[in-house]
């Protein structure tokens, strides 16, 4: 395992959702009319009365795209809220999986403004940042996120681990991207041909509205990856001290906070010292967060 080269991808925004205020009644009527013309429908339930979902083609989808058979959608636009407390217009989409050119054209046709201008006045409700690691699977990786504990361990379509509560301001999700891609490919477009099944793990950090509520707050945000650490399991197994190896055996399943619970201060220090030698060299939180500007600019690259 130590001879395998592990590569880190650039930071991307994998999911973005938010709401936009519209106060002019004529603008509201026009948006409703445009959404219905584009294939939107009257929703019988939910927070919004008009809903439009869409799968947008992209030349760069690879094997990450999933279709309606998996009950996932890559774009959802809603308007006309049932409650006056909600903004009139809502959007949710996966920037890394759709054609941003088509998305911007659709967004402009519906709202009358480019997405980049709309984002300046929108309230963000969720931003998912993602980084892919090629050359390592979840079987060989232990992920910790500050003092957050592992809340869910899912063993289907590969390994998926959620660290932190789904209702918290932030949550980390780490999963086998290779296995997810294999599953998605089996569900959908045969014209794509056979995917390359190389080991790939995705590290996804989900931030909600109390952390990022607008575009400016993203630029002002302290590095959320700073307390995310990745350790190579094979190196943990190579540790010489048996007591330390025993304590760390459950690291991939319980997280650092979980394995240190009830451990004496002496062994806590020894565990932390031992883990320093097991860190994944390509995982550098400062380097990752320095790519934020590029990730945001990619949102407006309508020529891609």
């Amino acid at each position: 395992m130590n001879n395998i080269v592990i590569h880190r991808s650039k930071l991307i925004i994998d999911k973005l959702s938010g709401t936009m205020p519209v106060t002019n009644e004529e603008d509201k009527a026009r948006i409703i009319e445009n959404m219905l013309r584009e294939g939107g429908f009257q929703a019988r339930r939910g927070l919004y009365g008009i809903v439009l979902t869409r799968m947008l083609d992209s030349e760069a989808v690879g094997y990450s795209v999933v279709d309606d058979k998996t009950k996932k959608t890559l774009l959802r636009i809603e308007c006309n809220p049932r409650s006056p407390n909600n903004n009139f217009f809502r959007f949710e989409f996966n920037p890394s999986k759709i054609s941003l050119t088509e998305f911007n054209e659709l967004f402009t046709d519906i709202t009358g403004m480019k997405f980049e201008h709309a984002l300046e006045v929108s309230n963000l409700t969720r931003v998912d940042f993602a980084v892919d690691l090629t050359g390592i699977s979840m079987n060989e990786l232990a992920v910790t996120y500050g003092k957050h504990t592992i809340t869910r361990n899912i063993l289907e379509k590969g390994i998926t681990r959620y660290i932190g509560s789904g209702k918290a301001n932030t949550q980390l999700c780490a999963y086998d991207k290779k296995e997810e891609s294999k599953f998605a490919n089996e569900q959908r477009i045969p014209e794509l041909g056979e995917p390359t099944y190389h080991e790939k793990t995705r590290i996804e950090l989900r931030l909600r509205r109390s952390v990022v509520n607008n575009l400016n707050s993203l630029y002002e945000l302290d590095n959320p990856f700073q307390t995310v650490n990745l350790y190579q399991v094979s190196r943990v197994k190579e540790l010489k001290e048996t007591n330390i190896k025993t304590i760390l055996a459950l690291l991939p399943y319980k997280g650092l906070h979980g394995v240190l619970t009830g451990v004496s201060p002496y062994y806590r220090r020894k565990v932390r010292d031992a883990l320093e030698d097991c860190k994944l060299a390509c995982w550098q939180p400062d380097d990752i967060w320095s790519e934020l500007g590029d990730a945001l600019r990619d949102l407006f690259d309508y020529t891609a």
Side-chain angles (χ1 to χ4, degrees):
M1 180 66 200
N2 291 332
N3 296 325
I4 296 177
V5 178
I6 301 167
H7 296 283
R8 174 183 70 80
S9 72
K10 69 176 184 177
L11 177 71
I12 63 170
I13 295 176
D14 187 57
K15 184 173 185 177
L16 184 68
S17 65
T19 62
M20 183 176 71
V22 180
T23 56
N24 185 282
E25 294 301 321
E26 291 184 359
D27 290 340
K28 291 180 179 179
R30 176 174 50 80
I31 288 174
I32 291 175
E33 180 182 348
N34 291 341
M35 282 188 61
L36 292 174
R37 186 190 69 244
E38 292 289 346
F41 59 91
Q42 300 272 357
R44 294 184 178 181
R45 56 179 65 88
L47 297 178
Y48 287 82
I50 308 294
V51 177
L52 170 65
T53 61
R54 185 72 65 85
M55 295 287 294
L56 296 181
D57 294 330
S58 172
E59 294 179 0
V61 295
Y63 298 92
S64 298
V65 162
V66 290
D67 65 0
D68 291 333
K69 292 180 181 179
T70 61
K71 299 182 179 179
K72 293 183 179 180
T73 182
L74 300 182
L75 171 65
R76 184 180 181 92
I77 295 176
E78 302 169 293
C79 73
N80 200 22
R82 305 188 194 281
S83 169
N85 296 325
N86 293 328
N87 280 337
F88 180 78
F89 189 84
R90 181 182 181 276
F91 57 87
E92 178 180 324
F93 72 110
N94 299 89
S96 64
K97 299 184 179 71
I98 67 174
S99 163
L100 291 175
T101 302
E102 291 183 43
F103 169 71
N104 185 60
E105 290 175 355
L106 178 63
F107 194 95
T108 304
D109 287 345
I110 291 174
T111 66
M113 62 193 306
K114 287 186 176 182
F115 176 65
E116 59 188 291
H117 298 146
L119 196 56
E120 293 176 355
V121 297
S122 294
N123 298 323
L124 299 180
T125 54
R126 177 169 163 176
V127 182
D128 290 1
F129 289 105
V131 173
D132 288 336
L133 301 170
T134 303
I136 190 168
S137 69
M138 281 294 292
N139 281 323
E140 286 291 340
L141 202 61
V143 184
T144 65
Y145 179 32
K147 293 184 178 180
H148 297 280
T149 57
I150 294 177
T151 52
R152 294 177 68 193
N153 236 330
I154 302 174
L155 301 177
E156 58 183 59
K157 290 181 291 182
I159 299 172
T160 301
R161 294 194 176 105
Y162 291 89
I163 305 177
S165 169
K167 297 181 180 180
N169 298 333
T170 63
Q171 185 184 42
L172 188 136
C173 178
Y175 60 92
D176 275 314
K177 189 68 177 173
K178 182 188 80 169
E179 295 301 325
E180 184 215 43
S181 298
K182 283 171 61 178
F183 177 81
N185 190 72
E186 291 165 358
Q187 307 281 316
R188 61 182 307 274
I189 307 173
E191 287 79 9
L192 285 177
E194 289 298 319
T196 301
Y197 294 147
H198 48 260
E199 300 293 352
K200 181 181 287 187
T201 294
R202 170 154 291 189
I203 307 298
E204 194 171 275
L205 192 54
R206 302 171 178 179
L207 311 180
R208 295 182 174 83
R209 72 178 73 198
S210 55
V211 179
V212 286
N213 51 31
N214 55 50
L215 187 60
N216 288 333
S217 68
L218 276 176
Y219 289 104
E220 298 167 358
L221 188 66
D222 290 336
N223 186 353
F225 288 93
Q226 199 64 60
T227 57
V228 178
N229 288 303
L230 273 57
Y231 305 97
Q232 208 165 334
V233 171
S234 58
R235 292 181 181 171
V236 173
K237 292 178 180 177
E238 291 170 1
L239 294 174
K240 295 180 179 180
E241 191 165 342
T242 303
N243 289 341
I244 301 299
K245 288 173 65 174
T246 301
I247 293 172
L248 289 177
L250 294 177
L251 181 65
Y253 315 101
K254 299 180 67 174
L256 185 58
H257 183 73
V259 298
L260 291 181
T261 300
V263 176
S264 70
Y266 170 77
Y267 274 109
R268 285 191 180 201
R269 288 192 298 270
K270 297 204 71 170
V271 165
R272 293 184 187 278
D273 289 342
L275 282 177
E276 285 300 312
D277 295 328
C278 304
K279 282 186 175 180
L280 212 60
C282 67
W283 185 262
Q284 301 294 332
D286 288 340
D287 292 344
I288 293 170
W289 197 236
S290 70
E291 298 167 0
L292 172 64
D294 290 338
L296 290 171
R297 280 189 289 273
D298 285 346
L299 289 176
F300 315 125
D301 186 6
Y302 304 138
T303 61

